[in-house]
Amino acid sequence: MTIPALVIAGPTAVGKTRIAIELAKELNGEIVSADSRQIYKGMDIGTVKPSKDEQAAVKHHMLNVVNPDEPFSAGEYKRSAEKIIEDIWQRNRLPIIAGGTGLYIRAVIDGLWEGPKADKELRDKLKNEEDTFGKGYLYNKLKEVDPETAKKTKPNDLVRIIRSLEVYYKEEKPISHFHKIHGFEEKNYNVMIIGLTMDRKRLYKRIEERVDGMIKSGLVDEVKALLKKGYDENISSMTGVGYRQVSGYLKGDYNLEEAVRLIKRDTKRYAKRQYTWFNKDKRIEWFNIDDIDIKDLASSIKKRLKLK
C-alpha cells in the first residue's frame, strides 16, 4: 500500500507551522513534526513548539517524545513516525510531515541506513590517533579507504570522519558502499514536498524578532528549570541553539545581551545550513510564503496526491 503524504520543509522561522495548520484544515490532515528539538519534553520556548491553541486546532504528533537526557536517533524517529503516518492514513486523514530537520524528513521518505552501533573503544582509539599524529591524520586515512566519502566530508568534521572510519573497520566496507545499495525496492509513500521560502533579509528580521520573543516569553527561566532538574549543559538537547547560549549566560561567561546576539547569529547560520540541505533535493517545489493562496495550493495537492 502506497500512502499519500505531504511534506512541508524550509528554514527556521519561515512560517512552516502556520502553513501546515492551514493546509491540514483544508486537507483533513494531521501534522507529524519533523523537528529534532521539539521531541524533548520541557523544552518548549527555545524550540518554538506549536502553541496549545495551534495543537488544539490540528492534531500534532512527535512532540514531547523523550526527556532531554534520553538519546533519540533519526532511526528511532523514522520508526515512530512511520507507525503514526500509517495510523493517520488508516483513519482517512492526510499525513503532513512538517519541520526543518532534513535528516528526519529524509529518513521517513527515503529510508535510512543506520549502520553499526557506536563503538566507544574504537572511537577513542581513532581520536587518540588524531591527537598523536596531528590534525588531518584521520582525514587522510579516510581518503585512502573511502575517497568518495572523503570528497563529501569537510577535513575538520572529525565527528563524521570518525563515524565513516568506524563503519569501515566494523563492516570491512566503506560507508559509501552502503549508501549506494540502500533504498526501498518499493516506495512506501506517494510524496509531494513543498519548500517554504522568503526574502533572506526579511527571514533574518523574523529570526531576530522570534529570539526577542523567546526571551520575553521566559527562555532564561526555561533553561534554569532544566539545569535545576539536573540536565547537564553538555547533553545533546542542551547544546541546541538558544539553550547553549543561555547556559553560557547563566554560567557568567557573558551578559544577557551577548547571549541574545549569539542566539540570533547562530539561528541565522542554522537557517543557511537548512537552505543548503533542502536545495540539494530537486523534488522540492518552492513557494514564497507571501504568495501562497492556501485554497489554490490545497487544490493542487489534492490533484497531485489523488485525494478525494
Side-chain angles (χ1 to χ4, degrees):
M1 178 179 67
T2 302
I3 298 172
L6 174 66
V7 174
I8 301 175
T12 186
V14 77
K16 295 184 295 294
T17 296
R18 177 177 68 82
I19 296 298
I21 289 172
E22 291 183 17
L23 285 173
K25 290 177 179 178
E26 290 288 330
L27 298 167
N28 190 33
E30 295 182 11
I31 297 169
V32 182
S33 170
D35 187 304
S36 62
R37 298 294 172 182
Q38 292 182 355
I39 62 167
Y40 295 115
K41 300 173 184 176
M43 305 183 80
D44 302 329
I45 298 170
T47 65
V48 200
K49 278 181 192 161
S51 67
K52 289 181 180 179
D53 288 343
E54 288 170 330
Q55 293 186 49
V58 172
K59 177 71 174 174
H60 285 69
H61 303 269
M62 295 306 293
L63 302 175
N64 305 312
V65 178
V66 294
N67 291 317
D69 59 348
E70 293 180 82
F72 194 80
S73 67
E76 288 169 306
Y77 173 83
K78 173 182 180 292
R79 288 187 288 274
S80 297
E82 283 177 340
K83 291 177 184 176
I84 290 167
I85 289 167
E86 184 171 351
D87 175 66
I88 292 170
W89 181 242
Q90 290 287 354
R91 291 185 283 106
N92 297 313
R93 299 176 73 83
L94 177 67
I96 300 175
I97 305 163
T101 303
L103 182 59
Y104 275 16
I105 292 171
R106 188 174 74 185
V108 172
I109 66 175
D110 293 326
L112 184 73
W113 183 74
E114 295 185 63
K117 290 184 178 180
D119 184 328
K120 188 177 184 303
E121 187 176 339
L122 176 56
R123 290 185 176 192
D124 288 345
K125 177 177 176 294
L126 291 169
K127 180 68 169 61
N128 286 335
E129 288 181 9
E130 180 81 357
D131 294 338
T132 301
F133 298 108
K135 189 175 180 181
Y137 176 79
L138 291 184
Y139 182 69
N140 288 330
K141 183 172 280 191
L142 181 62
K143 285 199 290 187
E144 291 176 13
V145 302
D146 189 357
E148 190 171 335
T149 297
K151 282 182 184 178
K152 300 175 182 177
T153 305
K154 293 180 180 178
N156 62 349
D157 190 348
L158 200 58
V159 171
R160 188 174 178 187
I161 292 167
I162 288 176
R163 176 56 177 167
S164 299
L165 289 171
E166 179 183 41
V167 169
Y168 177 77
Y169 291 127
K170 299 280 284 187
E171 301 290 331
E172 298 184 347
K173 286 183 180 178
I175 196 170
S176 56
H177 165 79
F178 297 103
H179 287 164
K180 280 180 184 176
I181 65 172
H182 176 71
F184 295 120
E185 291 183 7
E186 293 183 22
K187 290 293 182 184
N188 292 338
Y189 308 113
N190 172 27
V191 178
M192 180 176 179
I193 312 177
I194 289 172
L196 302 180
T197 188
M198 65 166 51
D199 174 76
R200 195 68 65 96
K201 287 183 180 178
R202 184 160 167 249
L203 177 66
Y204 289 169
K205 187 173 185 296
R206 284 180 63 145
I207 286 171
E208 291 182 357
E209 291 170 349
R210 173 182 273 191
V211 173
D212 289 338
M214 287 178 185
I215 298 299
K216 288 178 182 176
S217 297
L219 178 58
V220 173
D221 287 337
E222 182 171 88
V223 177
K224 279 182 183 176
L226 290 163
L227 293 169
K228 190 175 180 180
K229 287 180 180 177
Y231 296 120
D232 189 273
E233 63 178 301
N234 295 311
I235 61 176
S236 178
S237 61
M238 293 291 282
T239 59
V241 179
Y243 295 92
R244 178 175 71 250
Q245 294 83 355
V246 172
S247 293
Y249 156 64
L250 292 172
K251 282 194 305 178
D253 292 345
Y254 35 73
N255 61 26
L256 182 58
E257 184 180 358
E258 176 65 3
V260 170
R261 186 192 71 80
L262 292 172
I263 296 171
K264 290 177 179 178
R265 182 200 69 182
D266 293 344
T267 304
K268 290 172 189 176
R269 289 178 176 176
Y270 177 54
K272 283 184 180 179
R273 293 196 299 273
Q274 288 175 301
Y275 269 125
T276 299
W277 176 287
F278 290 125
N279 280 332
K280 291 176 183 176
D281 192 335
K282 301 309 176 187
R283 297 170 297 181
I284 296 179
E285 299 177 46
W286 289 96
F287 293 85
N288 188 302
I289 198 160
D290 296 319
D291 300 331
I292 291 175
D293 182 300
I294 291 295
K295 290 192 180 296
D296 285 349
L297 181 55
S299 178
S300 297
I301 293 166
K302 284 181 180 179
K303 290 177 184 176
R304 180 74 63 81
L305 296 180
K306 298 178 181 177
L307 304 173
K308 293 180 181 179

